[in-house]
Amino acid sequence: MSRPGPIEYSDASPEVRAIFDDIKRTRNIADVNNFWKYLAHDPAGLRRTWESIKQVMAEGALSPLSKELVYVAVSVTNGCGYCIASHTASARKAGMTDAMFAELMAVIGMANETNRLANGYRVPIDAAFDR
Amino acid sequence: MSRPGPIEYSDASPEVRAIFDDIKRTRNIADVNNFWKYLAHDPAGLRRTWESIKQVMAEGALSPLSKELVYVAVSVTNGCGYCIASHTASARKAGMTDAMFAELMAVIGMANETNRLANGYRVPIDAAFDR
Amino acid sequence: MSRPGPIEYSDASPEVRAIFDDIKRTRNIADVNNFWKYLAHDPAGLRRTWESIKQVMAEGALSPLSKELVYVAVSVTNGCGYCIASHTASARKAGMTDAMFAELMAVIGMANETNRLANGYRVPIDAAFDR
Amino acid sequence: MSRPGPIEYSDASPEVRAIFDDIKRTRNIADVNNFWKYLAHDPAGLRRTWESIKQVMAEGALSPLSKELVYVAVSVTNGCGYCIASHTASARKAGMTDAMFAELMAVIGMANETNRLANGYRVPIDAAFDR
Amino acid sequence: MSRPGPIEYSDASPEVRAIFDDIKRTRNIADVNNFWKYLAHDPAGLRRTWESIKQVMAEGALSPLSKELVYVAVSVTNGCGYCIASHTASARKAGMTDAMFAELMAVIGMANETNRLANGYRVPIDAAFDR
Amino acid sequence: MSRPGPIEYSDASPEVRAIFDDIKRTRNIADVNNFWKYLAHDPAGLRRTWESIKQVMAEGALSPLSKELVYVAVSVTNGCGYCIASHTASARKAGMTDAMFAELMAVIGMANETNRLANGYRVPIDAAFDR
């Protein structure tokens, strides 16, 4: 098989189970989503990724909702189907309304457009911005 | 010359000046930034882009700051130097603190990383997300 | 039909069959994969692409395994589903173990993350690197 | 030095000189541009890339101008500064007017925007398109 | 539901119906494609996007066919499945033959390749191009 | 200032100095490169990124050289100027010869090309690969 499949909780090692437990507890969910089940083939990577996500996505100077909006923006720009689906769901859970979703999409679209206008016209950075 | 240069206010047509004036009034700035001066070679495109940006970036269900964070996230993901510089400045103006900037960067980095883990492990979308 | 479908060996012109035969012989496989069957609508492009791939992916200063790892890294970064699947399989054939796969994914993820941190912080290139 | 520098005609091997000569003759230019001088460190790659470009960019079912517009569109989308500059110049040489340039930029921008709207809204492919 | 579904004509508001009608009339089609049905959750965004597309894709200094080729090139480079399918169909409608399609693909592929060679060799922009 | 500048060792907090010291010791270098000096404004992010990089890039099932080649491939594909420069230098340090560099570039270019051919021809994944 060219790629390892998902590892379910019942088949997981104690090390992986402990991480799954922490994900479930932190997010208050019954089971971890597929992303973690695939990553579980690499327990060190699973732990590192989870610890990083937990730290990065926590309430801080930015709210969890703001962070999820940014996550969706990156995923949509990159065209990552899995991440668009999962983080749109997370953003909903964090409070994204239909109106916010529509505005988010509009901003993402506009930024992707003007990024290319700036590239194509080779606009030099204004002195006021370049520092 | 392979690409048109910037058009300054003093050299602009009345149509372009009217748009420049609206940009300056809306944003309360003394002069428009380079992006608009280059786009001014295409008055129809200049008008369309400005009208779209004005509509999309206005206060709505999302705050101007939230929108600027998303704009920076897209620009950083695409690696658009001009847009990173100009929208980081806009985000600052809209209230982004140093702590917010650091968290924004961390979220952008993490999303770009996990987008590729999801791609590479070919993680199927969970039924709960796929709708 | 908006896009040409696959061309099977039995329906292929002598020119295309000769290229298919060379692919099968070089890779020691019973049939060519879909990529080549779709490209076969453009015999000149098929030949050019196959001759280039054969030359570029051959044993050289880098091993075929190293080259397949790089191919997977590009495909994962771009989010090309077909190429991720086919080159993960090629990398397996060239000797990629489960442990190597996990490390490959981790490096790809990390590079995509730090690429954006460098973009977002607008880090200037160190004099020692810039030559 | 971390990367090989350019190879000028006067320092080039006979093999590289022959390719440079063919580039200059085909394009009717006095000297090759930097791209080829850097690639010259890999004579096999130089030959393969040049032979491919020459074949792909030649007059065919599409005009050289149409092909250059496509080349610019890809380069702008990817944000490749070198390629934007060199292929905008090539497109100019092939007949791109200021008005065409402005329309090209507008189409590129719009496509990059709607690509993300389609991603973000996860629009399913219409049956009429999916074949 | 994490994302809004499509809005059919029969369920649409008068405002959305008017835009759907204009799309159908302009393109001479019986029903709008999915893209517009999903966007219809955001009537302001639907209107803005349609008005922009209508203006940008109209016959001008560039032909509708040239513009569709550019649209496909951007969509293929970004890997947007929906847009590749829909704009390949539009390009067909605008007159793209099988031979043009094959050449288009070859140019897109080549540009994506040389974009990375220019990046990787860090080729400095020739003085003749950089203005 | 819209973005924080670099933090030199002499101005760094004890926490940041400790991380800088670990980077210098691990890599056997006299000073850390700019990337770390900019990231130092976010000590938690600096620590997390460094700990992750140290773990991910260490000798494992893949050699440090193989990992650096993959890092360069990602950076070139994304067009991250800083990362291309710094990781080409790292790859050199890890043993990359001129011949390896040339082959690496050729593979990266080819993968970026065929990724788009697969996208554009909408090649369905072979049953043999899709698992």
Side-chain angles (χ1 to χ4, degrees), chain C residues 2-3 33-34 38-39 61-62 67 71 75 77-78 82-83 103 112 114-116 121-124 126, chain F residues 2-3 33-34 38-39 61-62 67 71 75 77-78 82-83 103 112 114-116 121-122 124 126 129:
Chain C
S2 69
R3 142 200 80 155
N33 50 301
N34 284 338
Y38 278 77
L39 220 55
L62 296 177
K67 291 180 173 183
Y71 222 111
S75 304
T77 298
N78 285 327
Y82 184 82
C83 309
E103 293 189 11
N112 272 289
T114 58
N115 278 199
R116 272 58 180 217
Y121 279 93
R122 288 183 272 156
V123 184
D126 302 74
Chain F
S2 68
R3 139 201 81 155
N33 50 301
N34 284 338
Y38 278 78
L39 220 54
L62 296 177
K67 291 180 173 184
Y71 223 111
S75 305
T77 297
N78 285 328
Y82 184 82
C83 310
E103 294 190 10
N112 272 290
T114 59
N115 277 200
R116 272 57 180 219
Y121 279 94
R122 288 182 273 157
D126 304 73
F129 298 151

Side-chain angles (χ1 to χ4, degrees), chain C residues 42 44 48, chain D residues 22 26-27 49-71 87 90 94, chain E residues 99-100 102-104 106-108 110:
Chain C
D42 174 19
R48 191 183 60 249
Chain D
D22 191 43
T26 304
R27 297 189 163 174
T49 305
W50 166 242
E51 294 294 344
S52 294
I53 285 268
K54 190 164 64 162
Q55 183 182 341
V56 166
M57 299 304 285
E59 174 85 43
L62 297 176
S63 68
L65 174 57
S66 269
K67 290 181 173 184
E68 288 294 348
L69 298 178
V70 165
Y71 222 109
H87 283 277
S90 306
Chain E
M100 288 175 184
E103 293 189 12
L104 174 62
V107 176
I108 295 169
M110 190 59 46

